[in-house]
Amino acid sequence: MTRRERQELIDKGLLLPLMEEFYTIQGEGFHKGTAAYFVRIGGCDVGCHWCDVKESWLAELHPPTATEKIVENAIKHSDTIIVTGGEPLTWDMGPLTAQLKAKGVQTHIETSGAYKLTGEWDWICLSPKKMKLPTDEVYNKAHELKCIIYNKDDFKFAEEQAAKVNKDCILYLQPEWSKRDKMMPQIVDYVMANPKWKVSLQTHKYLNIP
């Protein structure tokens, strides 16, 4: 396969830069505690300084992998597949989710929403970032909003984002892991004063699992 042919398949979403895939327990948000198969796609230019998977940023470090192979591996383990990144919407998610849905599994995505929403999703976890805000379409379709709290200013940003999502979207505040001891008491107080919000924790890190 030539470089041009490979790039054409990547552009069509038939090849995706696969960083890693693993079966574990969802640690965050609405589906925490649920067994699921994670597919982590490389490539992200949003650039969160506190990102805990910065090795995912450069897509060229991760091998272009056929969506058929990704699907084949995923359905062996779970009927809930969570696509994360990086930023998976950097790529066309249509072919991947079409194949997953054809196998009868649930498709979830974790995204900043900064790029066009592609793919067919049973659950969209929107985690917006200040550097590149989500598209209107993602705001309208998100099932949960997960705002990361790194400092006190992030509460204001969270409220701005909550005002943009649909009325059925579940709202979560989650402490950035390295700041959890400092920010968690503030999050608790904030949620008690503003009970439309819920607390999300990275419980997988407490469980010491991926």
Coordinates of all heavy atoms in Angstrom, one line a residue, residues 18-109:
L18 N -4.5 3.6 16.0 CA -4.9 2.9 17.3 C -3.8 3.0 18.3 O -2.7 2.5 18.0 CB -5.3 1.5 17.0 CG -5.7 0.6 18.2 CD1 -6.9 1.2 18.8 CD2 -5.8 -0.8 17.8
M19 N -4.0 3.7 19.4 CA -3.0 3.8 20.4 C -3.0 2.5 21.4 O -2.0 1.9 21.6 CB -3.2 5.0 21.3 CG -2.2 5.2 22.4 SD -2.5 6.6 23.4 CE -1.4 6.2 24.8
E20 N -4.2 2.2 21.8 CA -4.3 1.0 22.7 C -5.8 0.6 22.8 O -6.7 1.4 22.4 CB -3.8 1.3 24.1 CG -4.5 2.5 24.8 CD -3.9 2.7 26.2 OE1 -3.2 1.9 26.7 OE2 -4.2 3.8 26.8
E21 N -6.0 -0.6 23.2 CA -7.3 -1.1 23.4 C -7.3 -2.1 24.6 O -6.3 -2.8 24.8 CB -7.9 -1.8 22.2 CG -6.9 -2.8 21.6 CD -7.4 -3.3 20.2 OE1 -8.6 -3.2 19.9 OE2 -6.5 -3.9 19.5
F22 N -8.3 -2.0 25.5 CA -8.2 -2.8 26.7 C -9.6 -3.0 27.3 O -10.5 -2.1 27.1 CB -7.3 -2.2 27.7 CG -7.5 -0.7 28.0 CD1 -8.4 -0.3 29.0 CD2 -6.9 0.2 27.2 CE1 -8.6 1.0 29.3 CE2 -7.1 1.6 27.5 CZ -7.9 2.0 28.5
Y23 N -9.8 -4.0 28.0 CA -11.1 -4.3 28.7 C -10.9 -4.0 30.1 O -10.0 -4.4 30.8 CB -11.4 -5.8 28.5 CG -12.7 -6.3 29.1 CD1 -13.9 -5.6 28.9 CD2 -12.8 -7.5 29.8 CE1 -15.1 -6.0 29.4 CE2 -14.0 -7.9 30.4 CZ -15.2 -7.2 30.1 OH -16.4 -7.6 30.6
T24 N -11.8 -3.2 30.7 CA -11.7 -2.7 32.1 C -13.0 -2.3 32.6 O -14.1 -2.6 32.0 CB -10.6 -1.6 32.1 OG1 -10.3 -1.3 33.5 CG2 -11.1 -0.3 31.4
I25 N -13.0 -1.5 33.7 CA -14.2 -0.9 34.3 C -14.2 0.6 34.0 O -13.2 1.3 34.2 CB -14.2 -1.2 35.8 CG1 -14.1 -2.7 36.1 CG2 -15.5 -0.5 36.4 CD1 -15.3 -3.5 35.7
Q26 N -15.3 1.1 33.4 CA -15.5 2.5 33.3 C -15.4 3.2 34.6 O -16.2 2.8 35.6 CB -16.8 2.8 32.6 CG -17.2 4.3 32.6 CD -16.2 5.2 31.8 OE1 -15.2 5.5 32.3 NE2 -16.6 5.6 30.6
G27 N -14.5 4.1 34.8 CA -14.3 4.7 36.1 C -14.9 6.0 36.3 O -15.0 6.5 37.5
E28 N -15.5 6.7 35.3 CA -16.0 8.0 35.4 C -17.4 8.2 34.9 O -17.9 7.4 34.1 CB -15.1 9.0 34.5 CG -13.6 8.9 34.9 CD -12.7 9.7 34.0 OE1 -13.3 10.5 33.2 OE2 -11.5 9.6 34.0
G29 N -18.1 9.2 35.4 CA -19.4 9.6 34.9 C -20.5 8.7 35.1 O -20.5 7.9 36.1
F30 N -21.5 8.8 34.3 CA -22.8 8.0 34.4 C -22.6 6.5 34.5 O -23.3 5.8 35.2 CB -23.7 8.4 33.3 CG -25.1 7.8 33.4 CD1 -26.0 8.3 34.3 CD2 -25.4 6.7 32.7 CE1 -27.3 7.8 34.4 CE2 -26.7 6.1 32.8 CZ -27.6 6.6 33.6
H31 N -21.7 6.0 33.7 CA -21.5 4.5 33.5 C -20.4 4.0 34.4 O -19.9 2.9 34.2 CB -21.3 4.2 32.1 CG -22.5 4.3 31.2 ND1 -22.7 5.5 30.4 CD2 -23.6 3.6 31.0 CE1 -23.8 5.4 29.8 NE2 -24.4 4.2 30.1
K32 N -20.0 4.7 35.4 CA -18.9 4.2 36.3 C -19.3 2.9 36.9 O -20.4 2.7 37.2 CB -18.5 5.2 37.3 CG -19.6 5.5 38.4 CD -19.2 6.5 39.4 CE -20.2 6.9 40.4 NZ -21.4 7.5 39.8
G33 N -18.3 2.0 37.0 CA -18.6 0.7 37.5 C -19.0 -0.3 36.5 O -19.1 -1.5 36.8
T34 N -19.2 0.1 35.3 CA -19.6 -0.8 34.2 C -18.4 -1.4 33.4 O -17.5 -0.6 33.0 CB -20.5 -0.1 33.2 OG1 -21.6 0.5 33.9 CG2 -21.0 -1.0 32.1
A35 N -18.4 -2.7 33.2 CA -17.4 -3.3 32.4 C -17.5 -2.8 30.9 O -18.6 -2.8 30.4 CB -17.4 -4.8 32.5
A36 N -16.4 -2.5 30.3 CA -16.5 -2.0 28.9 C -15.1 -2.2 28.3 O -14.1 -2.3 28.9 CB -16.8 -0.5 28.9
Y37 N -15.1 -2.2 27.0 CA -13.9 -2.3 26.2 C -13.6 -0.9 25.6 O -14.4 -0.3 25.0 CB -14.1 -3.3 25.0 CG -12.8 -3.7 24.3 CD1 -12.0 -4.6 24.9 CD2 -12.5 -3.2 23.1 CE1 -10.8 -5.0 24.3 CE2 -11.3 -3.5 22.5 CZ -10.5 -4.5 23.1 OH -9.3 -4.9 22.4
F38 N -12.4 -0.4 25.9 CA -11.9 0.9 25.5 C -11.1 0.8 24.3 O -10.2 0.0 24.2 CB -11.1 1.5 26.7 CG -12.0 2.2 27.7 CD1 -12.6 1.4 28.7 CD2 -12.1 3.5 27.8 CE1 -13.4 1.9 29.7 CE2 -12.8 4.1 28.8 CZ -13.5 3.3 29.8
V39 N -11.3 1.7 23.4 CA -10.5 1.8 22.1 C -10.0 3.3 22.2 O -10.8 4.2 22.0 CB -11.4 1.6 20.9 CG1 -10.5 1.9 19.6 CG2 -11.9 0.2 20.9
R40 N -8.7 3.4 22.4 CA -8.1 4.7 22.4 C -7.4 5.1 21.1 O -6.5 4.4 20.6 CB -7.0 4.8 23.5 CG -6.5 6.2 23.8 CD -5.5 6.3 24.8 NE -5.9 5.8 26.1 CZ -6.7 6.5 27.0 NH1 -7.1 7.7 26.7 NH2 -7.0 6.0 28.1
I41 N -8.0 6.1 20.5 CA -7.5 6.5 19.2 C -6.5 7.7 19.3 O -6.7 8.6 20.1 CB -8.7 7.0 18.3 CG1 -9.8 5.9 18.2 CG2 -8.2 7.5 16.9 CD1 -9.3 4.7 17.5
G42 N -5.4 7.6 18.6 CA -4.3 8.6 18.7 C -4.7 9.8 17.9 O -5.5 9.8 16.9
G43 N -4.1 11.0 18.3 CA -4.3 12.2 17.6 C -5.1 13.2 18.3 O -6.3 12.9 18.6
C44 N -4.5 14.3 18.7 CA -5.2 15.4 19.4 C -4.4 16.6 19.4 O -3.2 16.6 19.7 CB -5.5 15.0 20.9 SG -6.5 16.2 21.8
D45 N -5.0 17.7 19.0 CA -4.3 19.0 19.0 C -5.0 20.0 19.9 O -4.8 21.2 19.8 CB -4.2 19.6 17.6 CG -5.6 19.9 17.0 OD1 -6.6 19.7 17.6 OD2 -5.6 20.4 15.8
V46 N -5.9 19.5 20.8 CA -6.5 20.4 21.8 C -5.5 20.9 22.8 O -5.6 22.1 23.2 CB -7.7 19.7 22.4 CG1 -8.4 20.6 23.5 CG2 -8.8 19.3 21.4
G47 N -4.7 20.0 23.3 CA -3.5 20.5 24.1 C -3.8 20.8 25.5 O -3.3 21.8 26.0
C48 N -4.5 20.0 26.2 CA -4.8 20.3 27.7 C -3.5 20.1 28.5 O -2.9 19.0 28.4 CB -5.8 19.3 28.2 SG -7.4 19.3 27.3
H49 N -3.0 21.1 29.2 CA -1.8 20.9 29.9 C -1.8 19.8 31.0 O -0.8 19.3 31.3 CB -1.4 22.3 30.5 CG -2.3 22.8 31.6 ND1 -2.1 22.4 32.9 CD2 -3.4 23.5 31.6 CE1 -3.1 23.0 33.6 NE2 -3.9 23.7 32.8
W50 N -3.0 19.5 31.5 CA -3.1 18.4 32.5 C -3.5 17.1 32.0 O -3.7 16.2 32.7 CB -4.1 18.9 33.6 CG -5.3 19.6 33.1 CD1 -5.6 20.9 33.2 CD2 -6.4 19.0 32.5 NE1 -6.8 21.2 32.7 CE2 -7.4 20.0 32.2 CE3 -6.8 17.7 32.1 CZ2 -8.6 19.8 31.6 CZ3 -8.0 17.5 31.4 CH2 -8.9 18.5 31.2
C51 N -3.4 16.9 30.6 CA -3.8 15.7 30.0 C -2.9 14.5 30.6 O -1.7 14.7 30.7 CB -3.6 15.7 28.5 SG -3.9 14.2 27.6
D52 N -3.5 13.4 30.9 CA -2.8 12.3 31.5 C -2.4 11.2 30.4 O -1.9 10.2 30.8 CB -3.5 11.6 32.7 CG -4.9 11.2 32.3 OD1 -5.3 11.3 31.2 OD2 -5.6 10.7 33.2
V53 N -2.7 11.5 29.2 CA -2.3 10.6 28.1 C -1.7 11.4 26.9 O -2.2 11.3 25.8 CB -3.5 9.7 27.6 CG1 -3.7 8.5 28.5 CG2 -4.8 10.5 27.4
K54 N -0.7 12.3 27.2 CA -0.1 13.1 26.2 C 0.5 12.3 25.1 O 0.7 12.8 24.0 CB 0.9 14.1 26.9 CG 0.2 15.1 27.7 CD 1.2 16.1 28.4 CE 0.5 17.2 29.2 NZ 1.4 18.1 29.9
E55 N 0.9 11.1 25.4 CA 1.4 10.2 24.4 C 0.5 9.9 23.3 O 0.8 9.4 22.2 CB 2.0 8.9 25.0 CG 0.9 8.0 25.7 CD 0.7 8.4 27.2 OE1 1.0 9.6 27.6 OE2 0.3 7.5 27.9
S56 N -0.8 10.2 23.5 CA -1.8 10.0 22.5 C -1.9 11.2 21.4 O -2.5 11.1 20.4 CB -3.2 9.9 23.1 OG -3.7 11.1 23.6
W57 N -1.2 12.3 21.7 CA -1.4 13.5 20.9 C -0.9 13.3 19.5 O -1.6 13.8 18.6 CB -0.7 14.7 21.5 CG -1.3 15.2 22.8 CD1 -2.4 14.6 23.5 CD2 -0.9 16.3 23.6 NE1 -2.7 15.4 24.6 CE2 -1.8 16.4 24.7 CE3 0.1 17.3 23.4 CZ2 -1.7 17.4 25.6 CZ3 0.2 18.3 24.4 CH2 -0.7 18.3 25.5
L58 N 0.2 12.7 19.3 CA 0.8 12.6 17.9 C 0.3 11.3 17.2 O 0.7 10.2 17.6 CB 2.3 12.5 18.0 CG 3.0 13.8 18.5 CD1 4.5 13.7 18.6 CD2 2.6 15.0 17.6
A59 N -0.6 11.5 16.3 CA -1.2 10.3 15.6 C -0.2 9.5 14.9 O -0.4 8.2 14.8 CB -2.3 10.8 14.6
E60 N 0.8 10.1 14.4 CA 1.8 9.3 13.6 C 2.6 8.3 14.5 O 3.3 7.4 13.9 CB 2.8 10.2 12.9 CG 3.5 11.3 13.8 CD 2.8 12.6 13.8 OE1 1.5 12.6 13.7 OE2 3.4 13.6 14.0
L61 N 2.5 8.4 15.8 CA 3.2 7.4 16.6 C 2.4 6.1 16.8 O 2.9 5.2 17.3 CB 3.4 8.0 18.0 CG 4.3 9.2 18.1 CD1 4.4 9.7 19.6 CD2 5.7 8.9 17.6
H62 N 1.2 6.1 16.3 CA 0.3 5.0 16.5 C -0.1 4.4 15.1 O -0.5 5.1 14.2 CB -0.9 5.4 17.3 CG -0.6 6.2 18.5 ND1 0.1 5.6 19.6 CD2 -0.7 7.5 18.9 CE1 0.4 6.5 20.5 NE2 -0.1 7.6 20.1
P63 N -0.1 3.1 15.0 CA -0.2 2.4 13.7 C -1.6 2.5 13.2 O -2.6 2.3 13.9 CB 0.1 1.0 14.0 CG -0.2 0.8 15.5 CD 0.2 2.1 16.1
P64 N -1.7 3.0 11.9 CA -3.0 3.0 11.2 C -3.6 1.5 11.2 O -3.0 0.6 10.7 CB -2.7 3.5 9.8 CG -1.4 4.2 9.9 CD -0.7 3.5 11.0
T65 N -4.7 1.3 11.8 CA -5.3 0.0 12.0 C -6.7 -0.1 11.4 O -7.5 0.8 11.5 CB -5.4 -0.3 13.5 OG1 -4.1 -0.1 14.1 CG2 -5.9 -1.7 13.8
A66 N -6.9 -1.2 10.7 CA -8.2 -1.3 10.0 C -9.3 -1.4 11.0 O -9.3 -2.1 12.0 CB -8.2 -2.6 9.2
T67 N -10.4 -0.7 10.7 CA -11.6 -0.6 11.6 C -12.1 -2.1 11.8 O -12.6 -2.4 12.9 CB -12.7 0.3 11.1 OG1 -13.0 -0.1 9.7 CG2 -12.2 1.7 11.1
E68 N -12.1 -2.9 10.8 CA -12.6 -4.3 10.9 C -11.8 -5.0 12.0 O -12.4 -5.8 12.8 CB -12.4 -5.0 9.6 CG -13.3 -4.5 8.5 CD -12.6 -3.5 7.6 OE1 -11.6 -2.9 8.1 OE2 -13.1 -3.2 6.5
K69 N -10.5 -4.8 12.1 CA -9.7 -5.4 13.1 C -10.1 -4.9 14.5 O -10.1 -5.7 15.5 CB -8.2 -5.2 12.8 CG -7.3 -5.9 13.8 CD -5.8 -5.7 13.4 CE -4.9 -6.4 14.4 NZ -3.5 -6.2 14.1
I70 N -10.2 -3.6 14.6 CA -10.6 -3.0 15.9 C -11.9 -3.6 16.4 O -12.1 -4.0 17.5 CB -10.7 -1.5 15.8 CG1 -9.4 -0.9 15.4 CG2 -11.3 -0.9 17.0 CD1 -9.4 0.6 15.1
V71 N -12.9 -3.7 15.5 CA -14.2 -4.2 15.8 C -14.1 -5.7 16.2 O -14.7 -6.1 17.2 CB -15.2 -4.1 14.6 CG1 -16.5 -4.8 14.9 CG2 -15.5 -2.6 14.4
E72 N -13.4 -6.4 15.5 CA -13.2 -7.9 15.7 C -12.6 -8.1 17.1 O -13.1 -9.0 17.9 CB -12.3 -8.5 14.7 CG -12.0 -10.0 14.9 CD -11.0 -10.5 13.9 OE1 -10.7 -9.8 12.9 OE2 -10.5 -11.7 14.1
N73 N -11.7 -7.3 17.5 CA -11.1 -7.5 18.9 C -12.1 -7.0 19.9 O -12.2 -7.7 21.0 CB -9.8 -6.6 19.0 CG -8.7 -7.2 18.2 OD1 -8.6 -8.4 17.9 ND2 -7.7 -6.4 17.9
A74 N -12.8 -5.9 19.7 CA -13.6 -5.3 20.7 C -14.8 -6.2 21.1 O -15.1 -6.4 22.3 CB -14.1 -4.0 20.2
I75 N -15.4 -6.8 20.1 CA -16.7 -7.6 20.4 C -16.4 -8.9 21.1 O -17.3 -9.6 21.6 CB -17.5 -7.8 19.1 CG1 -16.7 -8.6 18.1 CG2 -18.0 -6.5 18.5 CD1 -17.5 -9.0 16.9
K76 N -15.1 -9.3 21.1 CA -14.7 -10.5 21.9 C -14.9 -10.3 23.4 O -15.0 -11.3 24.1 CB -13.3 -10.9 21.6 CG -13.0 -11.4 20.1 CD -11.5 -11.6 20.0 CE -11.2 -12.0 18.5 NZ -9.7 -12.1 18.4
H77 N -14.8 -9.1 23.8 CA -14.7 -8.8 25.2 C -16.0 -8.2 25.9 O -16.2 -8.4 27.0 CB -13.5 -7.8 25.5 CG -12.2 -8.4 25.1 ND1 -11.5 -9.2 25.8 CD2 -11.5 -8.2 23.9 CE1 -10.4 -9.5 25.2 NE2 -10.4 -9.0 24.0
S78 N -16.7 -7.4 25.1 CA -17.8 -6.6 25.8 C -18.9 -6.2 24.7 O -18.6 -6.1 23.5 CB -17.2 -5.4 26.4 OG -18.3 -4.6 27.1
D79 N -20.1 -5.9 25.2 CA -21.1 -5.4 24.4 C -21.2 -3.9 24.6 O -22.2 -3.2 24.1 CB -22.4 -6.1 24.6 CG -22.9 -6.0 26.0 OD1 -22.3 -5.3 26.8 OD2 -24.0 -6.6 26.3
T80 N -20.3 -3.3 25.3 CA -20.2 -1.8 25.5 C -18.8 -1.4 25.1 O -17.8 -1.8 25.7 CB -20.4 -1.4 26.9 OG1 -21.8 -1.8 27.3 CG2 -20.3 0.1 27.1
I81 N -18.7 -0.6 24.0 CA -17.4 -0.2 23.5 C -17.3 1.3 23.7 O -18.2 2.1 23.2 CB -17.3 -0.5 22.0 CG1 -17.7 -2.0 21.7 CG2 -15.9 -0.2 21.5 CD1 -16.9 -3.0 22.5
I82 N -16.2 1.8 24.3 CA -16.0 3.2 24.6 C -14.8 3.7 23.7 O -13.7 3.2 23.9 CB -15.8 3.4 26.1 CG1 -17.0 3.0 26.9 CG2 -15.5 4.9 26.3 CD1 -16.8 3.1 28.4
V83 N -15.1 4.6 22.9 CA -14.1 5.2 22.0 C -13.6 6.5 22.6 O -14.4 7.4 22.9 CB -14.6 5.4 20.6 CG1 -13.5 6.0 19.7 CG2 -15.1 4.1 20.0
T84 N -12.3 6.6 22.9 CA -11.7 7.7 23.6 C -10.4 8.1 22.9 O -10.1 7.6 21.8 CB -11.5 7.4 25.1 OG1 -11.1 8.5 25.8 CG2 -10.5 6.2 25.3
G85 N -9.6 9.0 23.5 CA -8.4 9.4 22.8 C -7.4 9.9 23.7 O -7.4 9.5 24.9
G86 N -6.5 10.8 23.2 CA -6.7 11.6 22.0 C -8.0 12.3 21.9 O -8.8 12.4 22.8
E87 N -8.3 12.7 20.7 CA -9.6 13.3 20.3 C -10.1 12.5 19.2 O -9.7 12.7 18.0 CB -9.5 14.7 20.0 CG -10.8 15.4 19.5 CD -12.0 14.9 20.3 OE1 -12.1 15.4 21.4 OE2 -12.8 14.1 19.8
P88 N -11.0 11.5 19.4 CA -11.5 10.6 18.4 C -12.2 11.3 17.2 O -12.1 10.8 16.1 CB -12.4 9.6 19.1 CG -12.7 10.3 20.4 CD -11.6 11.1 20.8
L89 N -12.8 12.5 17.5 CA -13.5 13.1 16.4 C -12.6 13.9 15.4 O -13.0 14.5 14.5 CB -14.5 14.1 17.0 CG -15.7 13.5 17.7 CD1 -16.7 14.5 18.1 CD2 -16.4 12.4 16.8
T90 N -11.2 13.7 15.7 CA -10.3 14.2 14.7 C -10.5 13.4 13.4 O -10.2 13.8 12.3 CB -8.8 13.9 15.2 OG1 -8.7 14.7 16.4 CG2 -7.8 14.4 14.2
W91 N -11.0 12.2 13.5 CA -11.2 11.2 12.4 C -12.7 11.0 12.2 O -13.5 11.2 13.1 CB -10.5 9.9 12.8 CG -9.1 10.2 13.4 CD1 -8.8 10.1 14.8 CD2 -7.9 10.6 12.8 NE1 -7.5 10.4 15.0 CE2 -6.9 10.7 13.8 CE3 -7.6 10.8 11.5 CZ2 -5.6 11.1 13.5 CZ3 -6.3 11.2 11.2 CH2 -5.3 11.4 12.2
D92 N -13.0 10.4 11.0 CA -14.3 10.0 10.7 C -14.7 8.7 11.5 O -14.1 7.7 11.2 CB -14.5 9.8 9.2 CG -15.9 9.5 8.8 OD1 -16.8 9.4 9.6 OD2 -16.1 9.5 7.5
M93 N -15.6 8.8 12.4 CA -16.0 7.7 13.2 C -17.1 6.9 12.6 O -17.5 5.9 13.2 CB -16.4 8.2 14.6 CG -15.3 8.7 15.5 SD -14.2 7.4 16.1 CE -12.8 7.7 15.1
G94 N -17.6 7.3 11.4 CA -18.7 6.6 10.8 C -18.5 5.2 10.5 O -19.3 4.3 10.9
P95 N -17.4 4.8 9.8 CA -17.2 3.4 9.5 C -17.0 2.5 10.8 O -17.6 1.4 10.8 CB -15.9 3.4 8.7 CG -15.9 4.7 8.0 CD -16.5 5.7 9.1
L96 N -16.3 3.0 11.8 CA -16.1 2.2 13.0 C -17.4 1.9 13.7 O -17.8 0.8 14.0 CB -15.2 2.9 13.9 CG -14.9 2.3 15.3 CD1 -14.2 0.9 15.1 CD2 -14.1 3.2 16.2
T97 N -18.2 3.0 13.9 CA -19.5 2.8 14.6 C -20.5 2.0 13.8 O -21.3 1.2 14.4 CB -20.1 4.1 15.1 OG1 -20.4 4.9 14.0 CG2 -19.2 4.8 16.1
A98 N -20.5 2.1 12.5 CA -21.4 1.4 11.7 C -21.2 -0.1 11.8 O -22.1 -0.9 11.9 CB -21.3 1.8 10.2
Q99 N -19.9 -0.5 11.9 CA -19.5 -1.9 12.0 C -19.8 -2.4 13.4 O -20.3 -3.5 13.6 CB -18.1 -2.1 11.7 CG -17.7 -1.8 10.2 CD -16.2 -1.9 10.0 OE1 -15.6 -2.9 10.2 NE2 -15.7 -0.7 9.5
L100 N -19.6 -1.5 14.4 CA -19.9 -1.9 15.8 C -21.4 -2.1 16.0 O -21.9 -3.1 16.6 CB -19.4 -0.9 16.8 CG -17.9 -0.8 17.0 CD1 -17.5 0.4 17.8 CD2 -17.4 -2.1 17.7
K101 N -22.2 -1.2 15.4 CA -23.7 -1.3 15.6 C -24.2 -2.5 14.8 O -25.2 -3.1 15.3 CB -24.4 0.0 15.1 CG -24.1 1.3 15.8 CD -24.3 1.1 17.3 CE -25.8 0.9 17.6 NZ -26.0 0.8 19.1
A102 N -23.6 -2.9 13.7 CA -24.0 -4.1 13.0 C -23.8 -5.3 13.8 O -24.4 -6.4 13.6 CB -23.2 -4.2 11.7
K103 N -22.9 -5.3 14.8 CA -22.6 -6.4 15.7 C -23.5 -6.3 16.9 O -23.4 -7.2 17.8 CB -21.1 -6.4 16.1 CG -20.2 -6.6 15.0 CD -20.3 -7.9 14.3 CE -19.2 -8.1 13.2 NZ -19.4 -9.4 12.5
G104 N -24.3 -5.3 17.0 CA -25.3 -5.2 18.1 C -24.8 -4.7 19.4 O -25.3 -5.0 20.5
V105 N -23.6 -4.0 19.4 CA -23.1 -3.5 20.7 C -23.4 -2.0 20.9 O -23.8 -1.3 20.0 CB -21.5 -3.7 20.7 CG1 -21.2 -5.2 20.5 CG2 -20.8 -2.9 19.6
Q106 N -23.2 -1.6 22.1 CA -23.4 -0.2 22.5 C -22.1 0.6 22.2 O -21.0 0.2 22.5 CB -23.7 -0.1 24.0 CG -25.0 -0.7 24.4 CD -26.2 0.2 24.1 OE1 -26.3 1.3 24.5 NE2 -27.2 -0.4 23.3
T107 N -22.3 1.8 21.6 CA -21.2 2.6 21.3 C -21.2 3.9 22.1 O -22.2 4.6 22.1 CB -21.2 3.0 19.8 OG1 -22.5 3.6 19.5 CG2 -21.0 1.8 18.9
H108 N -20.1 4.1 22.8 CA -20.0 5.3 23.6 C -18.7 6.1 23.1 O -17.8 5.5 22.6 CB -19.7 5.0 25.1 CG -20.8 4.3 25.8 ND1 -20.9 4.1 27.1 CD2 -22.0 3.6 25.3 CE1 -22.0 3.4 27.5 NE2 -22.6 3.1 26.3
I109 N -18.8 7.4 23.3 CA -17.6 8.2 22.9 C -17.3 9.2 24.0 O -18.2 9.7 24.7 CB -17.8 9.0 21.6 CG1 -16.5 9.7 21.2 CG2 -18.9 9.9 21.7 CD1 -16.5 10.2 19.8

